[in-house]
């Protein structure tokens, strides 16, 4: 398996390139519109064919590159079940497996940050957590039908029950981290360590975070798979 972690500096977003080295089939997870040229160049250099763009959720902090990549490569745009994105080619359900060559990518519904959010378990040992679980943190729950109780349930019952050695690759990082493990996060993540459900909810309801800078443009654009109005 070929695996690459790519970064957008403006929004602190990670995009992941996953490919089967035999079939050369590839998937991009959470592409960013400003990085489409970079991502396509890498895909071409590696001799890959982009089959899918896979979203963890409808993003509020950046516009997805899926629409643009779909125009350029005829790849398939996939979003979690119940996501407000009628333009998607496909909706992926909790427990459903996407196959890319011999690679298996299993969707794990991890709601809370939004009301339609998946993490993706790649070949049983790499976990792409999107905005549900960060390295020593987690995504916010105060907009887009967020629910801190659901986040606590899904992270503790679905993600923290995976083997401790499972590698954790988040959707964002704001402090310079790139990779962790389930064991590390269970032991050191301050959002969860020592917290029961009620204290987690209280904590999340009192973060008082500012809105993401691009929320007004990103959410409606991402509901259209990254389509943005033409400049007049």
């Amino acid at each position: 398996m070929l695996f690459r972690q790519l970064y957008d500096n403006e929004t602190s977003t990670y995009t992941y390139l996953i490919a089967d080295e035999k079939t050369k089939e590839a998937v991009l997870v959470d592409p960013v519109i400003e990085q489409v040229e970079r991502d396509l160049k890498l895909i071409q250099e590696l001799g890959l064919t982009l089959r899918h763009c896979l979203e963890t959720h409808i993003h509020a902090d950046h516009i997805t590159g899926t629409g643009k990549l779909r125009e350029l490569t005829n790849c398939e745009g996939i979003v979690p079940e119940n996501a407000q994105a009628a333009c998607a080619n496909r909706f992926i359900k909790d427990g459903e497996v996407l196959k890319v060559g011999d690679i298996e990518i299993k969707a794990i519904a991890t709601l809370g940050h939004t009301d339609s959010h998946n993490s993706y378990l790649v070949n049983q040992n790499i976990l792409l957590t999107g905005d549900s679980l960060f390295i020593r943190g987690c995504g916010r729950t105060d907009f887009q039908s967020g629910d801190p109780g659901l986040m606590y349930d899904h992270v503790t019952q679905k993600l923290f029950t995976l083997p401790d050695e499972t590698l954790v690759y988040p959707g964002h990082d704001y402090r310079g981290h790139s990779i962790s493990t389930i064991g590390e996060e269970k032991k050191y993540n301050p959002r969860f360590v020592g917290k029961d459900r009620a204290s987690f909810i209280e904590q999340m309801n009192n973060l008082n975070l500012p809105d993401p800078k691009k929320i007004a443009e990103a959410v409606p654009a991402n509901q259209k798979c990254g389509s943005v109005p033409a400049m007049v």
Side-chain angles (χ1 to χ4, degrees):
M1 180 176 72
L2 183 148
F3 183 84
R4 294 285 186 276
Q5 183 183 50
L6 306 163
Y7 191 65
D8 176 65
N9 195 55
E10 185 185 357
T11 61
S12 303
T13 299
Y14 283 122
T15 296
Y16 296 96
L17 174 64
I18 304 162
D20 183 291
E21 293 187 283
K22 291 180 184 174
T23 66
K24 300 294 185 179
E25 294 177 302
V27 56
L28 268 178
V29 180
D30 289 344
V32 176
I33 195 166
E34 288 86 357
Q35 301 295 347
V36 163
E37 194 174 308
R38 174 202 67 186
D39 297 346
L40 264 183
K41 184 171 184 281
L42 179 60
I43 287 165
Q44 290 164 356
E45 285 173 349
L46 296 174
L48 306 175
T49 300
L50 184 63
R51 296 292 187 203
H52 314 285
C53 282
L54 181 62
E55 305 285 0
T56 54
H57 63 294
I58 300 298
H59 307 277
D61 52 4
H62 69 269
I63 296 173
T64 177
T66 290
K68 202 168 179 182
L69 285 160
R70 191 164 58 177
E71 287 176 18
L72 295 168
T73 70
N74 292 317
C75 68
E76 185 179 52
I78 306 176
V79 300
E81 184 181 29
N82 299 322
Q84 298 299 309
C87 55
N89 299 98
R90 181 173 162 189
F91 294 82
I92 188 165
K93 300 177 182 179
D94 181 38
E96 192 174 341
V97 174
L98 175 68
K99 293 206 74 173
V100 182
D102 288 333
I103 300 166
E104 294 193 345
I105 302 172
K106 181 182 179 182
I108 303 173
T110 41
L111 311 184
H113 175 64
T114 68
D115 59 1
S116 58
H117 186 291
N118 285 339
S119 298
Y120 296 107
L121 184 61
V122 184
N123 281 358
Q124 302 296 318
N125 68 338
I126 291 175
L127 182 67
L128 309 181
T129 53
D131 286 23
S132 60
L133 180 66
F134 293 155
I135 297 172
R136 312 299 192 264
C138 65
R140 60 197 294 172
T141 58
D142 58 338
F143 59 79
Q144 286 185 279
S145 303
D147 185 324
L150 266 181
M151 176 171 278
Y152 182 85
D153 293 342
H154 286 192
V155 170
T156 59
Q157 296 170 20
K158 292 186 169 191
L159 303 188
F160 283 178
T161 53
L162 293 169
D164 281 355
E165 62 270 19
T166 305
L167 299 174
V168 171
Y169 286 93
H172 297 281
D173 188 83
Y174 307 98
R175 294 185 293 259
H177 296 286
S178 59
I179 180 175
S180 183
T181 66
I182 287 294
E184 266 189 49
E185 294 311 306
K186 282 161 60 177
K187 193 172 180 181
Y188 300 118
N189 192 312
R191 289 276 173 90
F192 294 94
V193 173
K195 305 279 195 322
D196 59 13
R197 193 176 193 271
S199 59
F200 179 84
I201 291 171
E202 183 180 7
Q203 165 192 241
M204 296 303 292
N205 285 341
N206 288 284
L207 292 178
N208 298 316
L209 298 170
D211 282 350
K213 293 176 187 175
K214 294 189 175 184
I215 187 170
E217 56 183 307
V219 172
N222 290 333
Q223 289 173 336
K224 298 176 182 176
C225 297
S227 175
V228 292
M231 298 299 287
V232 178

